[in-house]
Amino acid sequence: MRLNKINAGLLSIVFAFSTLNAQQHLDPEYIKVTNERAAKIVVKLDLKNDAKEKAVSNIIAQQFRDLTEIQDGRDAEIKKVKEDTSLAKEKQNEKIDKLKANADKSIAKLHKSYLKKLGKELPEEKITEVKDGMTYGVLPITVVAYNDMLPNLTTEQKEYIYKALVEAREHAMDAGSSKEKHGWFGKYKGRINNYLSKQGYDLNKESKDWHERVEQREKAKSGQ
């Protein structure tokens, strides 16, 4: 039993070292890209404090890198499973599901840790701005669009839309690509649309009428 514990401890040390080593040898170009992405988010926060800006930028950039490490590791292992012809399809799917579940657990833990780090540097409203920055501002844009398309929304309906999009944003923050980020919002917009349909809205008609109104506004602006 003691030997097993020692072996487990050694494995943990090796894993921790290999993870650290992998981070230290990340492609310099990728590090540059993550630093630039983080800087673009931070500059919009208007913190007026160089030290604070640097600290927050480092936290965000590291989050991008940590997410990539988990997601790339997951994808590499899934690729190996799919290429293993000795495994039956059912067994492959079982292994793939387990790899995805383990990655999701790691990402959830990282998400919590990330927000805790940001919380030491920023107030809640600024953290919200960081979240929007990481997700291309889809939440506020979508809220405005729903309110413009459906000007008679009730307070309860507006609240449902907002809460659904907040939940979508939490997932989208951890997505590995633009397509995946937009995919999360698409999933939750589907839920919102189903909710609104049950509330009596004909969304096909509402959307058509809205686009016509937007077009008319644009023409009025250009003086046509």
Side-chain angles (χ1 to χ4, degrees):
M1 178 67 73
R2 180 173 175 77
L3 184 59
N4 288 338
K5 286 183 178 179
I6 292 172
N7 286 338
L10 286 172
L11 284 172
S12 297
I13 293 169
V14 169
F15 178 77
F17 179 78
S18 63
T19 300
L20 177 62
N21 195 48
Q23 286 183 337
Q24 288 173 338
H25 290 86
L26 280 172
D27 179 7
E29 186 59 32
Y30 177 65
I31 291 176
K32 180 183 174 186
V33 168
T34 55
N35 287 341
E36 288 173 350
R37 286 172 65 192
K40 286 180 181 177
I41 293 170
V42 172
V43 74
K44 293 180 180 179
L45 300 179
D46 193 26
L47 298 177
K48 296 181 174 64
N49 182 314
D50 290 345
K52 181 76 69 177
E53 286 180 4
K54 185 175 181 181
V56 174
S57 188
N58 286 340
I59 291 169
I60 297 171
Q62 188 60 50
Q63 177 71 358
F64 286 137
R65 295 194 282 270
D66 289 343
L67 283 169
T68 297
E69 185 179 353
I70 293 170
Q71 291 156 351
D72 284 358
R74 172 201 63 199
D75 294 344
E77 290 301 314
I78 288 174
K79 186 173 183 289
K80 286 181 186 177
V81 171
K82 287 181 176 179
E83 291 173 347
D84 187 349
T85 55
S86 69
L87 290 174
K89 190 67 177 176
E90 185 180 339
K91 193 66 177 177
Q92 281 186 339
N93 291 337
E94 186 181 313
K95 282 179 170 288
I96 288 170
D97 287 343
K98 188 173 182 180
L99 286 167
K100 288 180 177 178
N102 288 339
D104 287 345
K105 286 179 184 177
S106 295
I107 289 171
K109 186 177 179 181
L110 181 64
H111 184 99
K112 189 175 180 180
S113 171
Y114 172 58
L115 293 181
K116 189 174 180 179
K117 289 174 186 175
L118 286 178
K120 291 178 180 178
E121 301 290 342
L122 299 171
E124 193 61 40
E125 65 270 17
K126 291 296 181 183
I127 294 176
T128 297
E129 290 180 37
V130 171
K131 292 179 179 183
D132 284 331
M134 293 180 73
T135 54
Y136 315 120
V138 173
L139 187 153
I141 290 169
T142 306
V143 168
V144 169
Y146 271 114
N147 281 282
D148 194 31
M149 181 173 70
L150 305 169
N152 296 318
L153 286 169
T154 65
T155 300
E156 182 181 347
Q157 289 164 349
K158 289 179 181 179
E159 188 175 334
Y160 179 93
I161 291 169
Y162 181 74
K163 284 184 176 179
L165 291 172
V166 165
E167 191 172 330
R169 184 178 61 192
E170 291 300 305
H171 290 295
M173 281 171 59
D174 299 330
S177 68
S178 172
K179 183 179 179 181
E180 289 173 359
K181 289 178 188 293
H182 285 290
W184 276 109
F185 284 105
K187 178 179 179 179
Y188 277 81
K189 280 190 273 188
R191 293 183 184 181
I192 291 168
N193 290 346
N194 287 338
Y195 164 78
L196 292 173
S197 293
K198 289 177 182 178
Q199 294 282 303
Y201 287 98
D202 181 345
L203 290 177
N204 287 329
K205 182 179 182 304
E206 295 287 359
S207 180
K208 181 175 178 293
D209 292 346
W210 177 53
H211 281 95
E212 288 175 359
R213 292 198 304 272
V214 170
E215 191 176 330
Q216 290 300 318
R217 285 203 298 258
E218 292 301 317
K219 285 181 178 179
K221 281 182 184 178
S222 61
Q224 294 180 0

